[in-house]
Amino acid sequence: ECFKKKKKQPTATLTVQLTLACVSAPQLFYSFFKSLVGKDVVVELKNDLSICGTLHSVDQYLNIKLTDISVTDPEKYPHMLSVKNCFIRGSVVRYVQLPADEVDTQLLQDAARKEAMQQKQ
Amino acid sequence: MVLLKNLHPPTEGVRHEQAETTAVLDGQRLGCGTLYVAETRLSWFDSSGLGFSLEYPSIGLHAISRDVSAYPQEHLYVMVNGKLNKENEAEMAEKAADDDDDGSSDGGDDDEDEGAITEIRFVPSDKAALESMFSAMCECQALHPDPEDDDSDNDFEGEEYDVEEAEAEHGHADIPTFYTCDEGLSALTQEGQATLERLEGMLAESVAQQYHMAGVRTEETKAEFEDGMEVDTAAMEAGQFEDADVEHW
């Protein structure tokens, strides 16, 4: 259950922390993704397909809509070459890769930790 | 053949119905029929009543395909987790016959491994309907969140995003359930709003640097401070650093 959605992969430890936080603090990540609307991301699905695109919108279940998409490995995954916009179910997302300079991981980590502690009280 | 028998189209909660739609499953053309985007499941049936159903949790991704050089016709592309094969579909047929209202059929999950997918293309004769088909599927997907999410969803009041309220307030006709950068914070539930304010309060406490939300640098910040210093001028009050001659880094 812990392996739901991982937000970044700078270090293994951070990935696990953010993953657990995502499960225990979904509102935080909903807010986080809302603030990233308009930015370019790469969504890696649990079936290994990676989709690059602009984050158009997100909902409370972290379902994601991307526009101007391209498949990062089109030879391996030719399925979606003709698609421009897509809706990705939140539960099939493994990673959402973000440009490193778009996010302060320390701040996000602190906020996630605080939110998780708040939830326990 | 991949088709089923003894299934009937849904009668309730049909968000979109599209006749004259060809279904292509993993490259195999199944024929022309009607697509039903219902709240319980997605299904397609040809004129003789043969067809198949998909549970929304099994649909990983859907999209409109318009590039005719990649595929000769505009269509709705649907990626299903796992493989649909005869054995699983037989299970699905039995379950569907017994439990018509049960939206949690797990037929098709048995053989699922992480990499296996099924690609389905729904090609309507009326291309103008693609947007409605896409939107209807988005709405129905939002009605079927993962069961695991229920444990961590204690902060949310009910499953549904307040579509009508958001639409009335912000006039977003095409993507009512989604938060885009144009929508206001009032679309959140009360608890969600409180959480958001709490988060922003925590972020505002951050001494060294200031951000709009959750540590995201805005584009304005990037453009203005190319030396890497991240200061949000909008959040600064009365130029608090102006009197300091010290170089910030």
Coordinates of all heavy atoms in Angstrom, one line a residue, chain B residues 2-76:
Chain B
V2 N -13.3 -12.6 -29.2 CA -13.2 -12.0 -27.9 C -14.5 -11.5 -27.3 O -14.6 -11.0 -26.2 CB -12.3 -10.7 -28.0 CG1 -11.7 -10.3 -26.6 CG2 -11.1 -11.0 -28.9
L3 N -15.6 -11.8 -28.0 CA -16.9 -11.2 -27.6 C -17.6 -12.1 -26.6 O -17.4 -13.2 -26.4 CB -17.7 -11.0 -28.8 CG -17.1 -10.0 -29.8 CD1 -18.1 -9.8 -31.0 CD2 -16.8 -8.7 -29.2
L4 N -18.5 -11.4 -25.9 CA -19.3 -12.1 -24.8 C -20.7 -12.2 -25.3 O -21.2 -11.5 -26.2 CB -19.2 -11.3 -23.6 CG -17.9 -11.0 -23.0 CD1 -18.0 -10.0 -21.9 CD2 -17.3 -12.3 -22.4
K5 N -21.4 -13.0 -24.6 CA -22.9 -13.1 -24.9 C -23.6 -12.8 -23.6 O -23.1 -12.7 -22.5 CB -23.2 -14.5 -25.3 CG -22.7 -14.9 -26.7 CD -23.3 -16.2 -27.2 CE -22.8 -16.5 -28.6 NZ -23.3 -17.8 -29.1
N6 N -24.9 -12.7 -23.7 CA -25.8 -12.5 -22.6 C -25.5 -11.3 -21.7 O -25.8 -11.4 -20.5 CB -25.8 -13.8 -21.7 CG -26.2 -15.0 -22.5 OD1 -27.0 -14.9 -23.4 ND2 -25.5 -16.1 -22.2
L7 N -25.0 -10.3 -22.3 CA -24.8 -9.1 -21.5 C -25.8 -8.1 -22.2 O -26.0 -8.1 -23.4 CB -23.4 -8.5 -21.6 CG -22.4 -9.3 -20.8 CD1 -21.0 -8.6 -20.9 CD2 -22.8 -9.4 -19.3
H8 N -26.3 -7.2 -21.3 CA -27.1 -6.1 -21.9 C -26.6 -4.8 -21.5 O -25.9 -4.6 -20.5 CB -28.6 -6.3 -21.5 CG -28.7 -6.4 -20.0 ND1 -28.7 -7.6 -19.3 CD2 -28.9 -5.5 -19.0 CE1 -28.8 -7.5 -18.0 NE2 -28.9 -6.2 -17.8
P9 N -26.9 -3.8 -22.3 CA -26.4 -2.4 -22.1 C -26.9 -1.9 -20.8 O -28.0 -2.3 -20.3 CB -26.9 -1.6 -23.2 CG -27.3 -2.6 -24.3 CD -27.7 -3.8 -23.6
P10 N -26.2 -1.0 -20.1 CA -26.7 -0.4 -18.9 C -27.9 0.5 -19.2 O -28.0 1.1 -20.2 CB -25.5 0.4 -18.4 CG -24.7 0.6 -19.6 CD -24.9 -0.5 -20.5
T11 N -28.8 0.6 -18.2 CA -30.0 1.4 -18.5 C -29.9 2.6 -17.6 O -30.6 3.6 -17.9 CB -31.3 0.6 -18.1 OG1 -31.1 0.0 -16.9 CG2 -31.5 -0.4 -19.2
E12 N -29.2 2.6 -16.5 CA -29.1 3.7 -15.6 C -27.7 4.4 -15.6 O -26.7 3.7 -15.8 CB -29.5 3.3 -14.2 CG -30.9 3.0 -14.0 CD -31.2 2.6 -12.6 OE1 -30.3 2.6 -11.8 OE2 -32.4 2.2 -12.3
G13 N -27.7 5.6 -15.3 CA -26.4 6.3 -15.1 C -25.6 6.4 -16.4 O -24.4 6.4 -16.3
V14 N -26.2 6.4 -17.6 CA -25.5 6.4 -18.8 C -25.1 7.9 -19.1 O -26.0 8.7 -19.4 CB -26.2 5.8 -20.0 CG1 -25.5 5.9 -21.3 CG2 -26.6 4.3 -19.7
R15 N -23.9 8.2 -19.0 CA -23.5 9.6 -19.2 C -23.3 10.0 -20.6 O -23.5 11.1 -21.0 CB -22.1 9.9 -18.5 CG -22.1 9.8 -17.0 CD -22.8 10.9 -16.4 NE -22.7 10.9 -14.9 CZ -21.9 11.6 -14.2 NH1 -21.1 12.5 -14.8 NH2 -21.9 11.5 -12.9
H16 N -23.0 8.9 -21.4 CA -22.9 9.2 -22.9 C -23.1 7.9 -23.6 O -22.6 6.8 -23.2 CB -21.5 9.8 -23.2 CG -21.4 10.2 -24.6 ND1 -21.6 11.5 -25.0 CD2 -21.1 9.5 -25.8 CE1 -21.4 11.6 -26.4 NE2 -21.1 10.4 -26.8
E17 N -23.8 8.0 -24.7 CA -24.1 6.8 -25.5 C -23.7 7.2 -26.9 O -24.2 8.2 -27.4 CB -25.6 6.5 -25.4 CG -26.0 5.2 -26.2 CD -27.4 4.9 -26.1 OE1 -28.0 5.1 -24.9 OE2 -28.1 4.5 -27.0
Q18 N -22.9 6.4 -27.6 CA -22.5 6.8 -28.9 C -22.7 5.6 -29.9 O -22.0 4.6 -29.8 CB -21.0 7.2 -28.9 CG -20.4 7.8 -30.2 CD -21.2 9.1 -30.5 OE1 -21.5 9.8 -29.6 NE2 -21.4 9.3 -31.8
A19 N -23.6 5.7 -30.8 CA -23.9 4.7 -31.7 C -22.9 4.8 -32.9 O -22.1 5.7 -33.0 CB -25.3 4.8 -32.2
E20 N -22.9 3.8 -33.8 CA -22.0 3.8 -34.9 C -20.6 4.0 -34.5 O -19.9 4.8 -35.1 CB -22.4 4.8 -35.9 CG -23.8 4.5 -36.6 CD -24.1 5.6 -37.7 OE1 -23.2 6.2 -38.2 OE2 -25.3 5.7 -38.0
T21 N -20.2 3.2 -33.5 CA -18.8 3.2 -33.0 C -18.2 1.9 -33.2 O -18.7 0.9 -32.7 CB -18.8 3.6 -31.5 OG1 -19.4 4.9 -31.4 CG2 -17.4 3.6 -31.0
T22 N -17.1 1.9 -33.9 CA -16.3 0.7 -34.1 C -15.3 0.5 -33.0 O -14.7 1.4 -32.5 CB -15.5 0.8 -35.4 OG1 -16.4 1.0 -36.5 CG2 -14.7 -0.5 -35.7
A23 N -15.3 -0.8 -32.5 CA -14.3 -1.1 -31.4 C -13.2 -1.9 -32.0 O -13.4 -2.8 -32.8 CB -15.0 -1.9 -30.3
V24 N -12.0 -1.5 -31.6 CA -10.8 -2.2 -32.1 C -10.0 -2.6 -30.8 O -9.6 -1.7 -30.0 CB -9.9 -1.3 -33.0 CG1 -8.7 -2.1 -33.5 CG2 -10.7 -0.8 -34.1
L25 N -9.8 -3.9 -30.6 CA -9.2 -4.4 -29.3 C -7.9 -5.0 -29.7 O -7.8 -6.0 -30.4 CB -10.2 -5.4 -28.7 CG -9.9 -5.7 -27.2 CD1 -11.2 -6.0 -26.5 CD2 -8.9 -6.9 -27.0
D26 N -6.8 -4.4 -29.2 CA -5.5 -4.9 -29.5 C -5.3 -5.1 -31.0 O -4.7 -6.1 -31.4 CB -5.1 -6.2 -28.7 CG -4.7 -5.9 -27.3 OD1 -4.3 -4.7 -27.0 OD2 -4.7 -6.8 -26.5
G27 N -5.8 -4.2 -31.7 CA -5.6 -4.2 -33.2 C -6.6 -5.1 -33.9 O -6.7 -5.0 -35.1
Q28 N -7.5 -5.8 -33.2 CA -8.5 -6.6 -33.8 C -9.8 -5.8 -33.9 O -10.4 -5.4 -32.9 CB -8.7 -7.9 -33.0 CG -9.7 -8.8 -33.6 CD -9.9 -10.0 -32.7 OE1 -9.3 -10.2 -31.7 NE2 -10.9 -10.9 -33.1
R29 N -10.3 -5.7 -35.1 CA -11.5 -5.0 -35.3 C -12.7 -5.8 -34.9 O -12.9 -6.9 -35.5 CB -11.6 -4.5 -36.8 CG -12.6 -3.4 -37.0 CD -12.5 -3.0 -38.5 NE -13.5 -2.0 -38.8 CZ -14.8 -2.3 -39.1 NH1 -15.1 -3.6 -39.2 NH2 -15.7 -1.3 -39.4
L30 N -13.5 -5.3 -34.0 CA -14.6 -6.1 -33.5 C -15.9 -5.8 -34.2 O -16.9 -6.6 -34.0 CB -14.8 -5.9 -32.0 CG -13.6 -6.2 -31.1 CD1 -14.0 -6.0 -29.6 CD2 -13.2 -7.6 -31.3
G31 N -15.9 -4.8 -35.0 CA -17.2 -4.5 -35.7 C -17.7 -3.2 -35.2 O -17.2 -2.4 -34.4
C32 N -18.9 -2.8 -35.7 CA -19.5 -1.6 -35.4 C -20.6 -1.8 -34.4 O -21.4 -2.8 -34.4 CB -20.1 -1.0 -36.7 SG -20.6 0.7 -36.5
G33 N -20.7 -0.9 -33.4 CA -21.7 -1.0 -32.4 C -22.0 0.3 -31.6 O -21.8 1.3 -32.2
T34 N -22.4 0.2 -30.4 CA -22.7 1.3 -29.6 C -21.9 1.3 -28.3 O -21.8 0.3 -27.6 CB -24.2 1.3 -29.2 OG1 -25.0 1.3 -30.4 CG2 -24.5 2.6 -28.4
L35 N -21.3 2.5 -28.0 CA -20.5 2.6 -26.8 C -21.3 3.2 -25.7 O -22.0 4.2 -26.0 CB -19.3 3.5 -27.1 CG -18.4 3.8 -25.9 CD1 -17.6 2.6 -25.4 CD2 -17.4 5.0 -26.2
Y36 N -21.3 2.7 -24.5 CA -22.1 3.2 -23.4 C -21.1 3.6 -22.3 O -20.4 2.8 -21.7 CB -23.0 2.1 -22.8 CG -24.1 1.7 -23.8 CD1 -23.8 0.6 -24.7 CD2 -25.3 2.3 -23.9 CE1 -24.8 0.2 -25.6 CE2 -26.3 1.9 -24.8 CZ -26.0 0.8 -25.6 OH -27.0 0.4 -26.5
V37 N -21.0 4.9 -22.0 CA -20.2 5.4 -21.0 C -21.1 5.6 -19.8 O -21.8 6.6 -19.6 CB -19.5 6.7 -21.3 CG1 -18.6 7.2 -20.2 CG2 -18.8 6.6 -22.6
A38 N -21.2 4.5 -18.9 CA -22.1 4.6 -17.8 C -21.3 4.8 -16.5 O -20.1 4.5 -16.5 CB -23.0 3.3 -17.7
E39 N -22.0 5.2 -15.5 CA -21.4 5.5 -14.2 C -20.8 4.2 -13.6 O -19.8 4.3 -12.9 CB -22.3 6.2 -13.2 CG -22.7 7.6 -13.7 CD -23.8 8.1 -12.9 OE1 -24.3 7.4 -12.0 OE2 -24.2 9.3 -13.1
T40 N -21.4 3.1 -13.9 CA -20.9 1.8 -13.3 C -19.8 1.2 -14.1 O -18.8 0.7 -13.5 CB -22.1 0.8 -13.2 OG1 -22.7 0.7 -14.5 CG2 -23.1 1.2 -12.1
R41 N -19.9 1.2 -15.4 CA -18.8 0.6 -16.2 C -18.9 1.2 -17.6 O -19.9 1.7 -18.0 CB -18.9 -0.9 -16.2 CG -20.2 -1.5 -16.6 CD -20.2 -3.0 -16.6 NE -20.0 -3.5 -15.2 CZ -21.0 -3.7 -14.4 NH1 -22.2 -3.5 -14.7 NH2 -20.8 -4.1 -13.1
L42 N -17.8 0.9 -18.3 CA -17.8 1.3 -19.7 C -18.1 0.0 -20.6 O -17.5 -1.0 -20.3 CB -16.4 1.8 -20.1 CG -16.2 2.3 -21.5 CD1 -16.8 3.7 -21.6 CD2 -14.7 2.3 -21.8
S43 N -19.0 0.1 -21.5 CA -19.4 -1.1 -22.3 C -19.6 -0.8 -23.7 O -20.0 0.4 -24.1 CB -20.5 -1.8 -21.6 OG -21.6 -1.0 -21.4
W44 N -19.5 -1.8 -24.5 CA -19.7 -1.7 -26.0 C -20.4 -2.9 -26.5 O -20.1 -4.0 -26.1 CB -18.4 -1.5 -26.7 CG -18.4 -1.4 -28.1 CD1 -18.6 -0.3 -28.9 CD2 -18.4 -2.5 -29.1 NE1 -18.6 -0.6 -30.2 CE2 -18.5 -2.0 -30.4 CE3 -18.3 -3.9 -28.9 CZ2 -18.5 -2.8 -31.5 CZ3 -18.3 -4.7 -30.1 CH2 -18.4 -4.1 -31.3
F45 N -21.4 -2.7 -27.3 CA -22.2 -3.9 -27.8 C -22.5 -3.6 -29.3 O -22.8 -2.5 -29.7 CB -23.5 -4.0 -27.1 CG -23.4 -4.3 -25.7 CD1 -23.4 -3.3 -24.7 CD2 -23.1 -5.6 -25.2 CE1 -23.2 -3.5 -23.4 CE2 -22.9 -5.8 -23.9 CZ -23.0 -4.8 -23.0
D46 N -22.3 -4.7 -30.1 CA -22.7 -4.6 -31.5 C -24.2 -4.9 -31.6 O -24.9 -5.1 -30.7 CB -21.8 -5.5 -32.4 CG -22.1 -7.0 -32.1 OD1 -23.1 -7.3 -31.5 OD2 -21.4 -7.8 -32.7
S47 N -24.6 -4.9 -32.9 CA -26.1 -4.9 -33.1 C -26.7 -6.3 -32.7 O -27.9 -6.4 -32.4 CB -26.4 -4.7 -34.6 OG -25.6 -5.5 -35.4
S48 N -25.9 -7.3 -32.6 CA -26.4 -8.6 -32.2 C -26.4 -8.8 -30.7 O -26.7 -9.9 -30.3 CB -25.6 -9.7 -33.0 OG -24.3 -9.7 -32.6
G49 N -25.9 -7.8 -30.0 CA -25.9 -8.0 -28.5 C -24.6 -8.5 -28.0 O -24.4 -8.7 -26.8
L50 N -23.6 -8.8 -28.8 CA -22.3 -9.2 -28.4 C -21.5 -8.0 -28.0 O -21.5 -7.0 -28.6 CB -21.6 -10.0 -29.5 CG -22.3 -11.3 -29.9 CD1 -21.4 -11.9 -31.0 CD2 -22.4 -12.3 -28.8
G51 N -20.7 -8.1 -26.9 CA -19.9 -7.0 -26.5 C -19.1 -7.3 -25.3 O -18.9 -8.4 -24.9
F52 N -18.6 -6.2 -24.7 CA -17.7 -6.4 -23.5 C -17.9 -5.2 -22.6 O -18.4 -4.1 -23.0 CB -16.3 -6.6 -23.9 CG -15.7 -5.4 -24.6 CD1 -15.0 -4.4 -24.0 CD2 -15.8 -5.3 -26.0 CE1 -14.5 -3.3 -24.6 CE2 -15.2 -4.2 -26.7 CZ -14.6 -3.2 -26.0
S53 N -17.5 -5.4 -21.3 CA -17.5 -4.3 -20.4 C -16.2 -4.1 -19.7 O -15.4 -5.0 -19.6 CB -18.6 -4.6 -19.3 OG -19.9 -4.4 -19.8
L54 N -15.9 -2.9 -19.3 CA -14.7 -2.6 -18.6 C -15.0 -1.8 -17.3 O -15.9 -1.0 -17.3 CB -13.8 -1.6 -19.5 CG -13.4 -2.2 -20.8 CD1 -12.7 -1.1 -21.6 CD2 -12.4 -3.3 -20.7
E55 N -14.3 -2.2 -16.3 CA -14.5 -1.5 -15.0 C -13.5 -0.4 -15.0 O -12.4 -0.5 -15.4 CB -14.1 -2.5 -13.9 CG -15.0 -3.7 -13.8 CD -16.5 -3.4 -13.5 OE1 -16.7 -2.5 -12.8 OE2 -17.3 -4.2 -14.1
Y56 N -14.0 0.8 -14.5 CA -13.1 2.0 -14.5 C -11.8 1.8 -13.8 O -10.8 2.4 -14.3 CB -13.9 3.2 -14.0 CG -15.0 3.6 -15.0 CD1 -16.3 3.4 -14.8 CD2 -14.6 4.3 -16.2 CE1 -17.3 3.7 -15.7 CE2 -15.6 4.7 -17.1 CZ -16.9 4.4 -16.9 OH -17.9 4.7 -17.8
P57 N -11.8 1.2 -12.7 CA -10.5 1.0 -12.0 C -9.4 0.3 -12.9 O -8.2 0.4 -12.7 CB -10.8 0.2 -10.8 CG -12.2 0.5 -10.5 CD -12.9 0.7 -11.8
S58 N -9.9 -0.4 -13.9 CA -9.0 -1.1 -14.8 C -8.5 -0.3 -15.9 O -7.6 -0.7 -16.6 CB -9.6 -2.4 -15.3 OG -10.6 -2.1 -16.2
I59 N -9.1 0.9 -16.1 CA -8.7 1.7 -17.2 C -7.7 2.7 -16.7 O -8.0 3.6 -15.9 CB -10.0 2.5 -17.7 CG1 -11.0 1.5 -18.3 CG2 -9.5 3.5 -18.8 CD1 -12.3 2.2 -18.7
G60 N -6.5 2.5 -17.2 CA -5.4 3.3 -16.7 C -5.3 4.7 -17.3 O -4.9 5.7 -16.7
L61 N -5.8 4.8 -18.5 CA -5.6 6.0 -19.3 C -6.6 6.0 -20.4 O -6.9 5.0 -21.0 CB -4.1 6.0 -19.8 CG -3.6 7.1 -20.6 CD1 -2.0 6.9 -20.6 CD2 -4.0 7.0 -22.1
H62 N -7.1 7.2 -20.7 CA -7.8 7.3 -22.0 C -7.5 8.7 -22.6 O -7.1 9.6 -21.9 CB -9.3 7.1 -21.7 CG -10.0 8.2 -20.9 ND1 -10.0 8.2 -19.5 CD2 -10.7 9.3 -21.2 CE1 -10.6 9.2 -19.1 NE2 -11.1 9.9 -20.1
A63 N -7.7 8.8 -23.9 CA -7.3 10.0 -24.6 C -8.0 10.0 -25.9 O -8.5 9.0 -26.5 CB -5.8 10.0 -24.8
I64 N -8.0 11.2 -26.5 CA -8.5 11.4 -27.9 C -7.3 11.4 -28.8 O -6.3 12.1 -28.6 CB -9.3 12.7 -28.0 CG1 -10.5 12.7 -27.2 CG2 -9.6 13.0 -29.5 CD1 -11.2 14.1 -27.1
S65 N -7.4 10.6 -29.8 CA -6.3 10.5 -30.8 C -6.8 11.2 -32.1 O -7.8 10.8 -32.7 CB -6.0 9.0 -31.1 OG -5.2 9.0 -32.2
R66 N -6.0 12.2 -32.5 CA -6.4 13.0 -33.7 C -5.3 12.9 -34.8 O -5.6 13.5 -35.9 CB -6.6 14.4 -33.3 CG -7.8 14.6 -32.4 CD -8.4 16.0 -32.5 NE -9.4 16.3 -31.5 CZ -10.7 16.1 -31.6 NH1 -11.1 15.5 -32.7 NH2 -11.6 16.3 -30.7
D67 N -4.2 12.3 -34.5 CA -3.2 12.3 -35.5 C -3.4 11.1 -36.5 O -3.1 10.0 -36.2 CB -1.8 12.2 -34.8 CG -0.7 12.2 -35.8 OD1 -0.9 12.3 -37.0 OD2 0.5 12.2 -35.3
V68 N -3.9 11.5 -37.7 CA -4.3 10.4 -38.6 C -3.1 9.7 -39.3 O -3.2 8.7 -39.9 CB -5.3 10.9 -39.7 CG1 -6.6 11.3 -39.1 CG2 -4.7 12.1 -40.5
S69 N -1.9 10.3 -39.1 CA -0.8 9.7 -39.7 C -0.3 8.5 -38.8 O 0.3 7.6 -39.3 CB 0.4 10.6 -39.8 OG 0.7 11.2 -38.6
A70 N -0.7 8.5 -37.5 CA -0.4 7.4 -36.6 C -1.4 6.4 -36.6 O -1.2 5.2 -36.6 CB -0.2 8.0 -35.2
Y71 N -2.7 6.8 -36.7 CA -3.8 5.9 -36.8 C -4.8 6.5 -37.7 O -5.1 7.7 -37.5 CB -4.4 5.5 -35.4 CG -5.4 4.4 -35.5 CD1 -5.0 3.1 -35.4 CD2 -6.8 4.7 -35.7 CE1 -5.9 2.1 -35.4 CE2 -7.7 3.7 -35.8 CZ -7.3 2.3 -35.6 OH -8.2 1.3 -35.7
P72 N -5.3 5.8 -38.7 CA -6.0 6.4 -39.8 C -7.3 7.2 -39.5 O -7.7 8.0 -40.3 CB -6.3 5.3 -40.8 CG -6.1 4.0 -40.0 CD -5.1 4.3 -39.0
Q73 N -7.9 7.0 -38.3 CA -9.1 7.7 -38.0 C -9.0 8.3 -36.6 O -8.4 7.7 -35.7 CB -10.3 6.8 -38.0 CG -10.6 6.3 -39.4 CD -12.1 5.8 -39.5 OE1 -13.0 6.6 -39.3 NE2 -12.3 4.6 -39.7
E74 N -9.7 9.4 -36.4 CA -9.7 10.0 -35.1 C -10.6 9.0 -34.2 O -11.6 8.5 -34.6 CB -10.4 11.4 -35.1 CG -9.5 12.4 -35.8 CD -10.2 13.8 -35.8 OE1 -11.4 13.8 -35.7 OE2 -9.4 14.7 -35.9
H75 N -10.1 8.8 -32.9 CA -10.8 7.9 -32.1 C -10.5 8.2 -30.6 O -9.7 9.0 -30.3 CB -10.4 6.5 -32.5 CG -8.9 6.2 -32.2 ND1 -7.9 6.6 -33.1 CD2 -8.3 5.6 -31.2 CE1 -6.8 6.2 -32.7 NE2 -6.9 5.7 -31.5
L76 N -11.2 7.4 -29.8 CA -11.0 7.5 -28.4 C -10.1 6.3 -28.0 O -10.5 5.1 -28.2 CB -12.3 7.4 -27.6 CG -12.2 7.5 -26.1 CD1 -11.9 8.9 -25.7 CD2 -13.6 7.1 -25.4

